[in-house]
Amino acid sequence: MDISGYVVNLMSAAVAVGYMDQGFERKYSGYRRRALFTAACVVYFVTVTFLNWLIPFESVLGFCYGIILIVYAFLALDGSPQDFLVAGLLWVLIALISTYGVYGIMGIFTERDLDVMLSAEGEMLLYASMAALAVKYSLGKVVSVFFRKQDNLRKEDNWIVAVSFLL
């Protein structure tokens, strides 16, 4: 894995942990909040990097990402355990849909099989990973609107950002 792969993994970690933060109120502020957010990003990053090193595509092991987010939510966010579980599982679904979707569409345009796309390297991997990251971010924003307990103006703002970014 080259440096761009690590950068994409780091961005993926920030997007995933930020997804949980968007949907729920935070328990802490200041140093403790930043420390928990950073720790969750590091654990997510290490997990993503290790799984990418181990196998070309995580598939079922992608549930590890949901588990990391659920643990983070219990430690750093206010909300019900059921909501944390649903949000974590939805993230796994978002990750699978965005990755398979982007790699599938790129495979159609490049006339390559999905297996070939999932094991791609170099620029093709970078482009596909960045596109999948954009889709994850967009879908995460859409889903986080449902968990958010704030005023309607903020919800409308999130919808506008999420839908326009997705398009």
Side-chain angles (χ1 to χ4, degrees):
M1 181 181 299
D2 60 354
I3 189 71
S4 61
Y6 293 114
V7 171
V8 168
N9 288 351
L10 186 60
M11 291 172 57
S12 295
V15 166
V17 178
Y19 155 79
M20 291 302 277
D21 267 359
Q22 289 294 315
F24 301 99
E25 296 295 321
R26 298 171 189 116
K27 283 183 188 177
Y28 308 107
S29 62
Y31 173 76
R32 184 178 287 168
R33 188 213 151 353
R34 287 188 302 274
L36 286 168
F37 186 90
T38 302
C41 285
V42 168
V43 170
Y44 196 98
F45 169 77
V46 168
T47 304
V48 167
T49 303
F50 176 72
L51 289 177
N52 287 339
W53 173 79
L54 189 63
I55 52 179
F57 183 65
E58 299 85 357
S59 151
V60 175
L61 291 177
F63 281 101
C64 294
Y65 306 143
I67 293 168
I68 292 166
L69 295 178
I70 292 167
V71 169
Y72 169 70
F74 275 110
L75 295 174
L77 304 173
D78 277 331
S80 73
Q82 294 83 7
D83 285 346
F84 294 157
L85 182 64
V86 169
L89 292 176
L90 281 174
W91 180 257
V92 173
L93 186 63
I94 288 170
L96 286 172
I97 289 171
S98 62
T99 302
Y100 276 119
V102 166
Y103 280 79
I105 290 169
M106 288 185 75
I108 291 169
F109 286 126
T110 60
E111 297 179 358
R112 296 180 182 162
D113 291 336
L114 185 60
D115 293 338
V116 172
M117 291 302 299
L118 289 172
S119 61
E121 293 187 18
E123 288 182 358
M124 183 65 72
L125 176 64
L126 177 63
Y127 296 143
S129 297
M130 290 301 291
L133 181 61
V135 173
K136 286 177 197 173
Y137 175 80
S138 301
L139 293 176
K141 288 293 270 183
V142 169
V143 169
S144 69
V145 169
F146 293 111
F147 290 101
R148 186 160 243 160
K149 306 275 193 280
Q150 295 181 0
D151 61 358
N152 286 334
L153 179 63
R154 184 70 184 242
K155 285 184 178 183
E156 289 173 12
D157 211 21
N158 278 338
W159 275 109
I160 292 168
V161 170
V163 171
S164 62
F165 194 70
L166 182 63
L167 292 175

